[in-house]
Amino acid sequence: MATHLRFLALTVTTATAETTYRFDQPVTVISGPSGAGKSSLLMLLKHAVGGTAVLTPAVRDHVHSVLASVVVGEQHMILKRTISGDRSDRVDVLDPETMALQHTLGTRAEEGQVSLSDDLLNALGFPREKIPTTRNGKATTLNLTFTNLFRYVYLEASELDFQVVGHRDNNFKKQRKTLFELMLGLTTSAVMELERQVNQLTTDLRKKEAEEENVGAFLLATDPRTDDELRTELVGLRDMLYNAEATLRTLRTEVSETSAADAVLRGDLRAAVQAATAATQEVLAARELVEARDSVVAQVELDLRRLERSATAIDQLSPFHFVVCPRCAQRLEARTVPEDHCAVCLQADPTEEDVDPAAVREARNALEQQLQDARELMQADAEVLRRARDRSSDADFLATSLRRQLDAQTRDVVAPRFDAISDASARVAALNAGIDAVLHLRDSWARVRSIAQAAKDITARRKAANAELKTRKAESDTRRSLVSDLSRLFSTTLVELNLPWEQSAVIDPATYLPVVDSTPFEKLQASGGSLQAGVNIAYHLALLECGLTHPDVLVPSILIIDTPRKALGSNPDDQERGRRIYGRFKALTDSYGSRLQLIIADNDTAPLPDDAFSTIELDYYTRPMVPGVAHPGPGHTARTEDEYQA
């Protein structure tokens, strides 16, 4: 059944007076001439429950606060909100019995804080959901609030013949449709959670795929060898290292056996020579890597500058229509230029992808990220090169000093073998450096494989989530018959209102909006605002009745309509149509009694008086909506009630 929402009373307080408006009957008609404050009273109801209301100067200047007595679900709530000032975005919740302050809630969501919207939705038993969406390429969510739901409750005068539940507001489109689906049970919290998961997994997958592509492209730009080629090369380098180390061991054994007396000095020299050779190879390898990094940085910088120049040229020159050549000043009008080609260079115009600011920005972000990565790697490699040079210089100095000492002692016996040892050591060092470089590159390719595997895992999780989402949606689709039921109620209501020219009426199962004679709501304007206003009222009345007649539909049990007869006209047929609208109000009241509430603002009293109808009468003088403030216009001075009646 419809979720219970009902206004019991609204107290308007100024600096000098206070008036309470009660809504005791199922239908309350607020009547009075234009400008008497009928719409303002409805706006204050919206303001009291946390909405953003359009308030007149008289309300803003004189009303201090409003106090609404509301039944939300099974809970009786007293809500107090000021009109302006620092606390106008806060609502005090008072105890219905003692009027003591229970707590204060914000009208807007704040991190870690319960808002008024949260409190009201919880009391209604309405799901507090987040709609999955995407912003700037990243998964995010839109909160569903009580204010959003209130748009299904309150038909403002400015929207009555213009839009249905804000359907022309593109920023509200997702919330409107999701609220409809939640009210009729066409979607569930489980479905929406799966949709959020799929949305987030899609964003994560795109991120991983872009990361894999960027890292792979950078590696190929730095070194064209593939991972398979590096693996084969590593096997060969290790074989050559084994042989080189065996040769070096043999030479060292021969030197050791030649002069045992100089063993200590020879050992020091061997170590120094090995260190010097290894340091030299390290310097060479580090220098080559720095040069390669520098080339990549230069190329990325060139690509970035080319992109900037292209984007700047397109941005600054595309708005101009050249009638002369900017180089030779010859006129261009006589030239035959194919469509979608430049009038100056005769080349085809750039594609949307080349000139699309989002695409250019995405390309620039990718290049800037690649440039930053390359510079960081180059800086790290430059630091490695500097340290290698320091170590090489120190090792060369030590080896030279030791060699001179040994040469002085064993000039004719040991020295010749040190050249062979030096060459062998250099060979071993070079092979070790080559192996280290290959292992470093293979580690980078391992990172690419890890990223690719993560992308596969995300793809599998998204596939599973999509499969479950499909199953859940299929379960919810069994309730699609409710849309057909709502269409029949809508069509029946339109027939009872006897709108002109109407032959058929349905609720679109995709947009959940009214379609009359195969024409969507916004295109009915050719038939006049009367038809649109009648269709809008019929749509909301049908939705209200659908909630009242189905036990598991969460449509709020209240409808607030501002001037339902405003757009109908004044001839007898128009007046009869107005009576039919009120007749429909009465029929709903007769059927459902206190289970529903209608609050209607109208310039005249209800054309069908009934015990279920109560009236709030406003005028400029004795019964102004803002207590103590009479109409400010010329000649509208305040009078006593006796003077007014006289």
Side-chain angles (χ1 to χ4, degrees):
M1 60 179 296
T3 182
H4 193 52
L5 178 62
R6 186 183 187 89
F7 285 96
L8 301 180
L10 181 75
T11 299
V12 180
T13 302
T14 68
T16 60
E18 184 174 274
T19 296
T20 297
Y21 299 98
R22 303 200 61 82
F23 308 96
D24 297 321
Q25 298 300 319
V27 181
T28 300
V29 179
I30 305 169
S31 64
S34 297
K38 302 182 300 299
S39 296
S40 292
L41 184 55
L42 299 185
M43 281 290 178
L44 287 175
L45 293 174
K46 178 180 179 181
H47 182 79
V49 294
T52 302
V54 180
L55 303 176
T56 62
V59 173
R60 294 196 303 269
D61 294 343
H62 298 285
V63 177
H64 176 265
S65 65
V66 289
L67 188 78
S69 176
V70 193
V71 176
V72 187
E74 300 297 326
Q75 186 175 348
H76 183 195
M77 304 176 71
I78 304 295
L79 306 176
K80 182 178 182 180
R81 184 180 180 187
T82 59
I83 297 302
S84 59
D86 296 339
R87 297 193 74 257
S88 61
D89 61 347
R90 317 291 292 176
V91 175
D92 292 335
V93 182
L94 310 181
D95 184 273
E97 299 295 331
T98 66
M99 300 301 286
L101 177 65
Q102 292 180 327
H103 46 262
T104 300
L105 301 173
T107 58
R108 296 180 179 86
E110 298 178 13
E111 187 66 29
Q113 300 293 323
V114 176
S115 68
L116 178 65
S117 171
D118 298 330
D119 216 28
L120 293 173
L121 289 178
N122 286 337
L124 278 177
F126 200 89
R128 287 170 50 195
E129 287 295 344
K130 297 179 182 292
I131 306 173
T133 186
T134 302
R135 183 179 302 158
N136 297 327
K138 296 181 180 179
T140 185
T141 57
L142 293 172
N143 289 329
L144 283 179
T145 66
F146 179 82
T147 301
N148 297 152
L149 182 62
F150 203 72
R151 295 189 77 165
Y152 271 98
V153 166
Y154 181 17
L155 279 73
E156 298 184 19
S158 61
E159 297 186 355
L160 196 60
D161 57 358
F162 178 69
Q163 60 181 349
V164 180
V165 197
H167 82 283
R168 292 192 176 187
D169 182 358
N170 288 329
N171 293 326
F172 186 63
K173 181 177 180 180
K174 288 181 178 292
Q175 293 97 316
R176 179 188 64 77
K177 291 187 64 176
T178 303
L179 283 167
F180 186 96
E181 291 172 346
L182 286 170
M183 286 191 297
L184 270 70
L186 305 180
T187 190
T188 64
S189 295
V191 168
M192 296 193 69
E193 173 60 27
L194 285 169
E195 288 175 339
R196 288 192 290 270
Q197 289 181 21
V198 170
N199 201 36
Q200 184 62 54
L201 288 171
T202 299
T203 297
D204 294 344
L205 180 59
R206 289 173 181 167
K207 183 178 178 181
K208 286 297 179 185
E209 289 174 340
E211 184 181 3
E212 178 186 1
E213 182 179 354
N214 289 337
V215 175
F218 177 75
L219 288 175
L220 289 175
T222 304
D223 191 312
R225 291 173 292 179
T226 65
D227 191 35
D228 290 338
E229 292 172 339
L230 290 170
R231 183 169 57 252
T232 302
E233 184 175 341
L234 183 61
V235 173
L237 286 173
R238 284 173 171 165
D239 288 343
M240 289 187 285
L241 177 63
Y242 177 81
N243 294 330
E245 288 177 336
T247 300
L248 183 59
R249 285 193 298 270
T250 300
L251 289 171
R252 287 171 177 169
T253 300
E254 292 175 355
V255 170
S256 178
E257 292 173 351
T258 301
S259 179
D262 302 317
V264 174
L265 185 57
R266 285 198 303 272
D268 292 341
L269 180 57
R270 282 196 301 272
V273 170
Q274 291 173 0
T277 302
T280 299
Q281 293 301 319
E282 185 179 359
V283 168
L284 293 174
R287 182 187 299 135
E288 291 176 356
L289 192 53
V290 168
E291 291 173 353
R293 304 292 194 207
D294 187 64
S295 297
V296 173
V297 169
Q299 182 60 48
V300 176
E301 288 176 336
L302 181 61
D303 292 342
L304 190 56
R305 286 195 297 272
R306 185 182 298 114
L307 178 65
E308 292 293 345
R309 287 196 301 271
S310 174
T312 301
I314 291 172
D315 183 59
Q316 295 183 357
L317 296 180
S318 60
F320 295 99
H321 177 66
F322 286 91
V323 295
V324 297
C325 175
R327 178 178 179 273
C328 64
Q330 295 186 69
R331 301 196 68 81
L332 303 175
E333 294 94 332
R335 304 179 75 186
T336 300
V337 181
E339 187 176 357
D340 298 327
H341 281 64
C342 175
V344 179
C345 67
L346 298 182
Q347 296 188 72
D349 288 338
T351 63
E352 289 186 6
E353 182 178 356
D354 292 333
V355 299
D356 179 32
V360 172
R361 184 166 57 253
E362 183 177 354
R364 183 187 296 112
N365 291 341
L367 285 173
E368 287 176 348
Q369 183 61 49
Q370 190 173 347
L371 179 60
Q372 181 182 348
D373 293 342
R375 283 175 173 167
E376 290 174 355
L377 289 173
M378 187 174 73
Q379 290 173 0
D381 293 338
E383 178 61 22
V384 171
L385 176 58
R386 186 190 64 77
R387 292 196 298 267
R389 283 173 173 164
D390 291 342
R391 288 194 297 272
S392 177
S393 178
D394 294 343
D396 285 342
F397 177 78
L398 178 60
T400 300
S401 299
L402 292 173
R403 188 185 296 278
R404 287 173 181 171
Q405 294 178 38
L406 187 59
D407 284 347
Q409 297 179 23
T410 58
R411 190 178 305 277
D412 297 328
V413 180
V414 179
R417 286 182 171 81
F418 274 112
D419 291 334
I421 290 175
S422 178
D423 292 341
S425 296
R427 175 70 170 160
V428 169
L431 289 170
N432 276 319
I435 289 172
D436 288 343
V438 169
L439 288 174
H440 178 71
L441 285 171
R442 291 208 68 203
D443 286 343
S444 298
W445 279 111
R447 179 189 171 195
V448 174
R449 291 194 298 274
S450 175
I451 296 171
Q453 184 58 50
K456 290 181 181 178
D457 293 342
I458 293 173
T459 300
R461 287 159 53 198
R462 186 177 69 165
K463 182 178 179 181
N466 271 321
E468 186 176 355
L469 178 60
K470 184 178 180 180
T471 301
R472 295 277 189 176
K473 282 187 173 181
E475 294 171 356
S476 299
D477 283 345
T478 59
R479 295 184 58 83
R480 286 278 165 185
S481 61
L482 285 175
V483 180
S484 300
D485 294 345
L486 180 60
S487 280
R488 287 190 289 272
L489 275 174
F490 173 57
S491 179
T492 300
T493 304
L494 277 183
V495 169
E496 292 181 7
L497 298 186
N498 194 28
L499 291 178
W501 313 116
E502 180 265 321
Q503 299 295 319
S504 66
V506 297
I507 302 300
D508 189 314
T511 65
Y512 312 128
L513 292 172
V515 177
V516 178
D517 294 335
S518 303
T519 304
F521 182 86
E522 59 272 13
K523 294 185 178 180
L524 295 174
Q525 188 63 46
S527 300
S530 171
L531 178 57
Q532 286 185 307
V535 168
N536 208 353
I537 292 170
Y539 175 82
H540 282 82
L541 290 175
L543 192 58
L544 174 62
E545 187 169 7
C546 181
L548 293 167
T549 55
H550 290 81
D552 50 359
V553 169
L554 298 179
V555 176
S557 62
I558 181 174
L559 191 57
I560 302 172
I561 307 177
D562 194 349
T563 56
R565 294 183 289 174
K566 176 181 178 181
L568 294 182
S570 58
N571 64 49
D573 288 340
D574 295 329
Q575 293 177 359
E576 171 60 24
R577 196 164 293 114
R579 284 190 289 272
R580 284 176 176 266
I581 289 175
Y582 273 88
R584 187 61 189 151
F585 295 161
K586 183 179 183 304
L588 287 174
T589 305
D590 290 343
S591 298
Y592 304 105
S594 60
R595 289 175 56 195
L596 62 78
Q597 182 177 37
L598 299 174
I599 300 177
I600 314 298
D602 213 335
N603 291 339
D604 301 311
T605 56
L608 293 174
D610 188 84
D611 291 342
F613 286 38
S614 64
T615 302
I616 296 174
E617 295 184 2
L618 302 175
D619 59 49
Y620 302 145
Y621 309 108
T622 61
R623 293 183 293 273
M625 194 281 293
V626 180
V629 180
H631 194 286
H636 292 151
T637 56
R639 310 179 192 175
T640 66
E641 185 167 3
D642 291 340
E643 290 173 335
Y644 177 65
Q645 291 176 346

